[in-house]
C-alpha cells in the first residue's frame, strides 16, 4: 500500500506528500532499531534478522515443508471457508490498491518451503474488502440468502473446529489443571513430560498447578551444528 501510494503521489507530482511519507518511514525505522537495540544491548535491525533466519537460512523447514500451492489449496480455504469462492471470482477485477497487496504477499510467502495459515492472516482484511465488494453487486434478496448461508456454515465450522477437532491435547491440559494436585508421589510434586510434537500442547493457559511439566523441544539449529537433531 505504501509503495502504491508513493507511486501515485509521484505521478501527481505531490512531492511534499512524498517527502512526508519518506521522513515518516525513516523515523519509524529509526525508532524500531533504537528500541530493539536497547532491548538486545547491541545494534539490532529486526527485519534483516528475520530475513536471514527465515529466508536466507530457511530455518523454518525444521517445522515442516509444504508445496508451493499450499496457501491456495489449503491455507486460504481453511481461513475463508465458503468465502473463498467470491474471492476467486473477484480478486483480479478488484482495484489494484486492494488486490495487489494480497497477491504480492501470497506469492512471496509461497516461495518459502515452510508455510502456516497465520502467515497470511495479515492479508485477510484485503480479502474481506474484495469479497464484500463482490457480494454487494448481487441482488438484495440474493445477498440475504448468501448472508444466512455463510453465517450458518461459519457457526457450524467454528463449533466443530473449536470443540471437537483435535481437542485431545486440550483435554489433557485441562485434566492436568483440574487433577494436578492428586499427581504427587509421597507428598512431593510430580514431574511430567509430554511426549508430543513441540508447540502442540497448551501449558500455562490451561494448567495452574505447582508441579514441573515440560514437552519435547524443537529449537532451530541457529549455530549450524553438524548432524543437529532436536528432541
Amino acid at each position: 500500500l505504501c509503495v502504491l501510494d508513493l507511486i501515485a503521489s509521484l505521478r501527481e507530482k505531490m512531492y511534499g506528500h512524498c517527502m512526508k511519507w519518506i521522513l515518516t518511514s525513516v523515523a519509524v525505522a529509526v525508532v524500531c532499531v533504537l528500541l530493539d537495540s536497547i532491548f538486545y544491548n547491541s545494534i539490532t535491525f529486526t527485519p534483516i534478522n528475520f530475513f536471514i533466519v527465515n529466508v536466507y537460512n530457511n530455518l523454518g523447514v525444521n517445522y515442516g515443508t509444504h508445496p508451493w500451492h499450499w496457501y491456495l489449496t489449503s491455507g486460504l480455504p481453511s481461513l475463508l471457508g465458503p468465502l473463498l469462492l467470491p474471492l476467486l471470482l473477484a480478486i483480479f477485477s478488484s482495484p489494484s490498491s486492494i488486490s495487489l497487496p494480497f497477491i504480492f504477499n501470497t506469492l512471496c510467502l509461497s516461495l518459502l518451503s515452510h508455510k502456516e495459515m497465520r502467515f497470511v492472516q495479515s492479508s485477510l482484511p484485503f480479502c474481506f474488502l474484495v469479497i464484500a465488494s463482490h457480494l454487494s453487486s448481487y441482488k438484495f434478496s440474493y445477498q440475504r440468502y448468501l448472508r444466512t448461508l455463510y453465517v450458518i456454515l461459519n457457526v457450524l465450522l467454528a463449533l466443530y473446529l473449536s470443540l471437537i477437532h483435535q481437542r485431545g491435547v486440550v483435554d489433557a491440559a485441562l485434566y492436568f489443571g483440574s487433577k494436578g494436585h492428586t499427581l504427587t508421589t509421597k507428598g512431593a510434586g510430580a514431574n511430567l513430560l509430554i511426549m508430543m510434537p513441540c508447540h502442540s500442547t497448551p501449558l500455562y493457559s490451561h494448567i495452574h498447578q505447582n508441579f514441573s511439566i515440560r514437552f519435547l523441544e524443537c529449537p532451530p539449529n541457529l549455530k549450524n551444528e553438524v548432524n543437529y537433531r532436536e528432541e
Side-chain angles (χ1 to χ4, degrees), residues 4 43 53 89 99 110 166 169 195 215 219:
L4 291 175
I43 300 299
V53 172
L89 292 174
S99 60
S110 297
Q166 296 183 349
V169 291
M195 302 187 69
F215 53 80

Side-chain angles (χ1 to χ4, degrees), residues 34-211:
L34 179 62
L35 292 177
D36 289 337
S37 300
I38 293 174
F39 182 83
Y40 290 106
N41 292 322
S42 63
I43 300 299
T44 303
F45 192 54
T46 302
I48 292 181
N49 291 342
F50 178 88
F51 177 84
I52 293 174
V53 172
N54 293 283
V55 179
Y56 183 76
N57 292 327
N58 201 20
L59 293 180
V61 298
N62 188 63
Y63 303 100
T65 59
H66 305 82
W68 65 268
H69 55 77
W70 186 85
Y71 285 117
L72 297 177
T73 57
S74 183
L76 287 174
S78 299
L79 288 172
L80 296 175
L83 294 176
L84 179 64
L85 180 59
L87 174 67
L88 296 178
L89 292 174
I91 186 63
F92 294 107
S93 60
S94 300
S96 58
S97 59
I98 298 177
S99 60
L100 283 182
F102 162 70
I103 295 174
F104 180 77
N105 187 43
T106 304
L107 288 177
C108 290
L109 292 173
S110 297
L111 297 177
L112 300 177
S113 300
H114 177 66
K115 300 174 177 63
E116 296 184 29
M117 285 187 290
R118 62 190 177 98
F119 293 168
V120 292
Q121 286 183 342
S122 60
S123 296
L124 290 183
F126 299 99
C127 296
F128 293 143
L129 287 174
V130 173
I131 294 169
S133 177
H134 178 72
L135 294 180
S136 65
S137 64
Y138 294 161
K139 294 182 179 179
F140 182 74
S141 58
Y142 193 41
Q143 291 182 33
R144 294 180 57 184
Y145 169 76
L146 288 176
R147 282 199 298 267
T148 303
L149 177 63
Y150 287 152
V151 168
I152 293 175
L153 289 175
N154 278 281
V155 169
L156 292 177
L157 287 172
L159 292 174
Y160 171 73
L161 295 175
S162 300
L163 302 177
I164 299 176
H165 181 64
Q166 296 183 349
R167 60 172 292 167
V169 291
V170 176
D171 286 344
L174 291 174
Y175 172 79
F176 292 138
S178 60
K179 304 294 184 180
H181 62 281
T182 64
L183 302 177
T184 57
T185 304
K186 297 181 180 180
N191 294 315
L192 300 179
L193 170 61
I194 300 178
M195 302 187 69
M196 291 285 293
C198 60
H199 311 309
S200 63
T201 306
L203 290 180
Y204 296 115
S205 59
H206 289 68
I207 303 173
H208 306 284
Q209 297 291 340
N210 187 23
F211 57 78

